[in-house]
Amino acid sequence: MLARTAENLFWLARYMERAEYVARLIQVAQRLTGTTASNGDANEWHSAIVAAGCEEGFVARHGEEVTPEAAIDYLVRDPDNNSSILSCFETARRNSRSVRTALTADMWDAINTTWLEVREFDVEALLRAENLTRFLEWTKERAGLFNGAYANSMLRNDAFYFTRLGTFIERADNTARILDVKYHVLLPQEAKVGGVIDYYQWASILRAVSALRAYRWVYPGRMHPWQVAELLILRPELPRSLLFCFEQITANLDLIGQGHGRPTEAQRLAGQMYAKLRYARIDDIFQEGLHEFLTEFIDSTIVLGQEVGKQYLA
Amino acid sequence: MAGAYDEMGGTDGQLRSQYEVVQAWLDDTPPDLLELKRREADALFRRIGITFAVYTEGGDPERLIPFDMIPRVLDATEWASLRRGLEQRVKALNAFIGDIYNGQEILRAGRVPERLILTNPQFRPEMMGFQPPQGVYTHVAGIDMVRTGPNDFYVLEDNCRTPSGVSYMLENREVMMRLFPDLFRRAHVAPVAHYPEELFETLRSVAPPRCRGEPRIALLTPGIYNSAYYEHSFLADEMGIELVEAADLVVEDNVCYMRTTRGLTRLDVLYRRIDDDYLDPLVFRPDSMLGVPGLMHAYRAGNLTLANAPGAGIADDKAVYCHVPEMIRFYLGEEPILRNVPTWECAKPDDLKYVIEHLAELVVKVVHGSGGYGMLVGPHASTAEREAFAARIKARPADYIAQPTLALSTVPTFVDAGVAPRHVDLRPFVLVGQEVRLVPGGLTRVALKEGSLVVNSSQGGGTKDTWVLEEMD
């Protein structure tokens, strides 16, 4: 397939995934500011901005102080923020238009209808609390529809593998970021735990990656912070855990690589990261330092994205 | 316009038989249901993304071309005669272009004036002495036709460069069949949906001499900001070929390749939807960002076929148009089946004099122009507009031709106040490969403004589904 087509599919999937993630971050911040668990509004919205990976842009736009209004505006609609929900949809539609021939009718319909509906929104009204909730739910639905449309209609060939790759590289990055923002509330087994207040913080992390119910199924009973970390990093069953994402990334890179003869640097790097996750223990990660582990992971994922670009998309 | 021929009601207001099904449908369908269907049609076009991009004029950059639901109907006999005429005309045009770039016999015989060709901006000296695969220049030709009476069809314009609009022909039918499946059960309408297959076969049949095995075919688009981008993606999709932009192509050692995730893949046939000027910066405009350096070398080396051929636009010139009947006689030894509109060439002193004196009755066009820009419709212009235009003609007479203001036929059309006659034209698409192929009908464009004769989508025109009824035993 055309390198440009592969690149567009890759980014299309990333932006749809990101739109959903940003919607979840906003919901989590909203929820936490309504409980006693937060240390005041600013903190939670600041976390959301950092977890969305757009702190630098936000500060340039609104200054150091993070008010709820400014954060919502920046994350929902700011056209200068590549990761705002509306920017994600806009970019996804633009990418789709230039690779229409590689999209199935269902994929195009999912993206184009999303974009047409976005155009009908009254953006100012959208930012008001009573409409925002509905909009965020709608955003998640549209992203889900896109994922379903491509999983159910694409041929299993390079086009599909590159789309998959986009979804899971983005997802791995998102999960790692939300964990890193909250790493200070995630403590190892022996540590003294703060009490009921922290419970809301842990639950919020799980909500941000749509895994609260999954936690209950995997770890019945009382919630423990080290298990939250284990679920999101090391459990192979959870479709947003780092391990699951890297299983998908290596599998898709291997399928793409079959047509290329010898293994590529992207394949090697992904395989290395996958092996590390697969044989890691959560205690060791805490020993090493959760923050250090996540920082290294985020950096390596960025390098992997660059290698994929160099190898296939240039 | 008073006295225009109505294709449904004829000259005497008697319903013509091919419109019986349409009339019954209009009579039986309640107006509110039609209104509902009209809104559904709009939503369908938006959802599929069939838009016409206009980025220069402000407002919504992705516009819908208005679609009118009342079909335009031709019967089998009318189409059979048009079809023969179109095949004949396109064969002659193709022979003409081949002659211009090789022997120039028609010039030497004095049947077409040399001055029209050699200094024409559409004449490409780079094509001299080159024979494209199968001798085909106009792989896709769009011939614009108008009608003034029961048996009076005229060719208004030939489009041998990169004619567009065929996706509207196909999608109009698709949308009509979705909205009114019953209607198609009652009328026996010849299908058009196989056009992309015919186009594919056409492109396949003109593989370059050095192609081995099954030719690899791609469609070259300027990109998503081009007004016809939807059509490019639609056709590539329907044919199952790659839709490429210039940056996806590279020429090495006179061979054209696509950049793919598995490295470079050889390309054999390129259906290009960008103008000659932008095709190859090494040969044509050096500042072109849309082109592929070396493309013309690959073409001339026999490693790549370009469709349509560069330089085919020489036949689109409105002054050259006057000589098409003569080409048919010269190359085919036949009498033309389709008529030209009588045309005055302002380059000729007698014609110029006539045109200036009769400006109020004539339509004046720029010879190299297209899209309805830069034309004067005499009867609809003010005295001041006519005087200003006369001055422009006198300054550069060779740039203008003039034609009588034809009473274009009308077809009933939905308007705010109900149903009213509106003027139409017809663009059939003729495919030329090893054989000539046509699908029945073409694109009908309709001037939605009352009395207007300008059907171009850039000037407020709309489109209709065009039916050719099948012959019933």
Side-chain angles (χ1 to χ4, degrees):
Chain A
M1 73 185 308
L2 290 179
R4 179 174 55 85
T5 305
E7 182 171 22
N8 276 308
L9 287 171
F10 176 77
W11 283 104
L12 164 62
R14 286 195 73 157
Y15 277 106
M16 290 305 282
E17 182 72 20
R18 191 173 301 176
E20 179 183 350
Y21 171 68
V22 171
R24 287 185 190 285
L25 286 179
I26 297 170
Q27 286 184 318
V28 165
Q30 276 181 315
R31 179 178 279 268
L32 276 178
T33 49
T35 71
T36 49
S38 78
N39 314 325
D41 283 1
N43 240 331
E44 290 312 324
W45 289 107
H46 180 253
S47 294
I49 293 284
V50 174
C54 52
E55 188 180 18
E56 204 176 311
F58 180 88
V59 172
R61 176 77 156 201
H62 294 281
E64 296 284 347
E65 196 198 343
V66 187
T67 64
E69 291 74 24
I72 290 173
D73 189 278
Y74 196 69
L75 292 174
V76 169
R77 56 159 281 190
D78 196 321
D80 293 335
N81 175 11
N82 290 334
S83 299
S84 74
I85 294 175
L86 295 191
S87 292
C88 286
F89 285 150
E90 185 72 35
T91 312
R93 165 82 169 19
R94 200 168 51 239
N95 277 314
S96 303
R97 232 162 87 74
S98 61
V99 293
R100 267 200 75 156
T101 52
L103 302 185
T104 66
D106 290 352
M107 286 169 84
W108 167 254
D109 201 36
I111 295 160
N112 193 45
T113 308
T114 302
W115 183 80
L116 290 174
E117 288 179 26
V118 163
R119 296 209 313 174
E120 300 297 314
F121 289 142
D122 172 353
V123 175
E124 296 308 320
L126 199 66
L127 299 173
R128 290 199 296 269
E130 69 269 24
N131 300 323
L132 187 60
T133 308
R134 222 177 53 228
F135 171 75
L136 297 173
E137 285 304 322
W138 175 85
T139 298
K140 283 153 55 182
E141 280 168 24
R142 299 311 301 183
L145 185 67
F146 168 76
N147 284 339
Y150 91 73
N152 291 335
S153 62
M154 278 184 102
L155 290 174
R156 268 31 180 187
N157 58 21
D158 280 1
F160 179 75
Y161 308 144
F162 278 108
T163 310
R164 270 319 239 192
L165 203 55
T167 298
F168 284 102
I169 288 186
E170 180 68 25
R171 188 175 288 181
D173 186 61
N174 292 343
T175 299
R177 280 178 198 279
I178 184 76
L179 278 170
D180 198 32
V181 167
K182 300 282 183 182
Y183 78 93
H184 52 87
V185 299
L186 293 171
L187 304 167
Q189 200 161 355
E190 292 76 27
K192 193 167 152 37
V193 175
V196 72
I197 287 178
D198 279 346
Y199 167 81
Y200 290 100
Q201 289 287 348
W202 307 327
S204 76
I205 301 169
L206 293 169
R207 273 183 212 283
V209 294
S210 182
L212 186 56
R213 182 66 54 84
Y215 182 92
R216 296 291 182 209
W217 283 330
V218 178
Y219 308 99
R222 207 179 130 95
M223 191 179 282
H224 297 294
W226 60 89
Q227 287 176 342
V228 172
E230 186 181 65
L231 179 68
L232 296 192
I233 297 172
L234 298 178
R235 292 301 294 221
E237 309 95 313
L238 185 82
R240 286 176 199 274
S241 76
L242 302 187
L243 177 62
F244 186 95
C245 291
F246 266 82
E247 190 188 344
Q248 290 292 320
I249 290 166
T250 47
N252 284 289
L253 279 173
D254 287 348
L255 287 163
I256 292 165
Q258 279 169 6
H260 291 266
R262 62 202 176 85
T264 61
E265 174 59 16
Q267 264 177 291
R268 191 196 63 76
L269 198 59
Q272 190 183 43
M273 291 173 76
Y274 176 49
K276 194 171 168 188
L277 289 165
R278 191 160 167 206
Y279 301 110
R281 286 186 308 199
I282 197 67
D283 294 346
D284 297 340
I285 290 176
F286 275 113
Q287 199 90 52
E288 186 188 326
L290 182 58
H291 178 58
E292 287 69 21
F293 172 85
L294 291 168
T295 307
E296 195 201 318
F297 179 89
I298 292 168
D299 290 345
S300 301
T301 308
I302 291 170
V303 173
L304 175 63
Q306 290 163 347
E307 279 304 322
V308 169
K310 260 194 274 178
Q311 185 68 43
Y312 301 108
L313 311 180
Chain B
M1 173 183 303
Y5 173 72
D6 189 73
E7 298 195 10
M8 185 150 157
T11 35
D12 51 4
Q14 286 284 323
L15 182 68
R16 292 174 70 233
S17 61
Q18 66 250 52
Y19 275 93
E20 277 166 9
V21 172
V22 172
Q23 183 66 62
W25 166 68
L26 285 174
D27 292 343
D28 298 347
T29 316
D32 50 336
L33 180 61
L34 286 173
E35 176 54 26
L36 189 73
K37 291 286 183 184
R38 199 188 56 72
R39 285 205 301 270
E40 245 177 72
D42 268 15
L44 269 174
F45 278 99
R46 280 253 181 246
R47 253 183 96 168
I48 305 173
I50 311 172
T51 52
F52 180 85
V54 184
Y55 288 94
T56 46
E57 294 165 14
D60 185 354
E62 289 186 28
R63 292 180 204 171
L64 293 181
I65 295 189
F67 169 65
D68 184 72
M69 296 190 303
I70 305 179
R72 193 253 189 106
V73 189
L74 300 169
D75 70 19
T77 321
E78 286 169 340
W79 174 247
S81 134
L82 281 181
R83 180 187 178 110
R84 273 186 294 120
L86 288 164
E87 285 181 8
Q88 179 195 52
R89 189 173 180 101
V90 171
K91 276 183 193 159
L93 286 167
N94 200 62
F96 167 73
I97 301 165
D99 183 25
I100 287 304
Y101 292 115
N102 288 281
Q104 299 193 337
E105 282 169 26
I106 202 165
L107 303 186
R108 284 191 278 129
R111 309 281 277 273
V112 172
E114 235 180 59
R115 63 172 168 81
L116 282 186
I117 306 299
L118 302 182
T119 56
N120 195 303
Q122 288 301 320
F123 174 70
R124 304 289 175 192
E126 297 83 359
M127 289 294 288
M128 286 303 291
F130 176 70
Q131 276 289 339
Q134 313 292 339
V136 180
Y137 292 83
T138 61
H139 306 81
V140 185
I143 309 296
D144 289 350
M145 317 252 341
V146 296
R147 184 181 201 177
T148 58
N151 298 306
D152 303 307
F153 286 93
Y154 292 93
V155 174
L156 200 58
E157 212 173 286
D158 303 290
N159 296 281
C160 294
R161 258 175 294 185
T162 49
S164 62
V166 77
S167 57
Y168 297 101
M169 170 183 96
L170 298 169
E171 294 287 16
N172 287 353
R173 174 66 52 83
E174 175 65 24
V175 166
M176 278 303 280
M177 290 185 80
R178 281 211 219 174
L179 294 178
F180 304 106
D182 286 358
L183 194 51
F184 288 86
R185 269 203 286 280
R186 281 183 277 160
H188 298 270
V189 183
V192 295
H194 56 296
Y195 175 87
E197 281 178 32
E198 300 286 330
L199 176 58
F200 184 83
E201 284 305 319
T202 298
L203 296 169
R204 207 173 151 261
S205 75
V206 293
R210 295 175 68 180
C211 168
R212 298 277 166 269
E214 193 58 28
R216 268 187 169 269
I217 308 171
L219 191 156
L220 177 62
T221 174
I224 62 169
Y225 297 110
N226 185 268
S227 63
Y229 178 74
Y230 170 73
E231 174 156 311
H232 305 161
S233 69
F234 172 82
L235 289 174
D237 234 350
E238 291 283 315
M239 289 190 280
I241 63 174
E242 292 286 2
L243 178 66
V244 298
E245 294 178 17
D248 299 323
L249 300 180
V250 59
V251 176
E252 285 178 8
D253 296 331
N254 293 340
V255 175
C256 183
Y257 298 95
M258 295 186 280
R259 294 180 213 269
T260 76
T261 53
R262 300 189 177 184
L264 299 181
T265 304
R266 190 173 172 135
L267 184 67
D268 302 300
V269 180
L270 189 59
Y271 176 34
R272 49 94 176 198
R273 295 289 301 257
I274 71 176
D275 284 344
D276 290 358
D277 274 339
Y278 299 99
L279 212 45
D280 180 349
L282 297 183
V283 177
F284 302 116
R285 279 179 62 155
D287 59 337
S288 169
M289 302 296 286
L290 306 172
V292 183
L295 209 57
M296 282 297 283
H297 287 89
Y299 181 51
R300 292 195 60 121
N303 288 321
L304 178 73
T305 299
L306 293 173
N308 293 355
I314 190 69
D316 294 359
D317 190 279
K318 292 187 181 75
V320 173
Y321 155 89
C322 305
H323 304 277
V324 178
E326 200 49 34
M327 292 172 199
I328 295 173
R329 295 184 195 102
F330 186 78
Y331 297 111
L332 308 179
E334 297 170 7
E335 272 306 300
I337 299 168
L338 299 176
R339 278 177 287 176
N340 263 19
V341 179
T343 303
W344 289 273
E345 294 176 75
C346 299
K348 296 180 182 168
D350 287 353
D351 285 16
L352 175 63
K353 186 163 175 287
Y354 181 88
V355 169
I356 297 296
E357 284 169 6
H358 296 84
L359 216 45
E361 303 152 25
L362 301 174
V363 176
V364 188
K365 296 174 180 174
V366 184
V367 287
H368 311 310
S370 67
Y373 291 106
M375 65 188 276
L376 177 85
V377 181
H380 295 177
S382 66
T383 313
E385 282 166 342
R386 284 200 295 265
E387 277 169 9
F389 216 86
R392 278 154 66 186
I393 300 172
K394 283 183 200 157
R396 300 181 65 94
D399 285 355
Y400 297 91
I401 53 117
Q403 294 167 336
T405 312
L406 297 179
L408 301 194
S409 59
T410 56
V411 173
T413 301
F414 285 115
V415 297
D416 288 340
V419 174
R422 289 290 182 266
H423 297 289
V424 296
D425 79 348
L426 176 68
R427 173 179 285 187
F429 295 89
V430 187
L431 299 172
V432 189
Q434 275 176 357
E435 51 188 288
V436 178
R437 299 156 187 267
L438 281 98
V439 299
L443 176 64
T444 292
R445 298 185 296 179
V446 52
L448 295 171
K449 270 184 274 176
E450 187 172 3
S452 169
L453 296 168
V454 186
V455 296
N456 302 75
S457 48
S458 51
Q459 314 266 307
T463 66
K464 282 171 170 289
D465 188 14
T466 309
W467 292 5
V468 173
L469 300 186
E470 288 184 317
E471 200 134 26
M472 300 310 295
D473 307 320

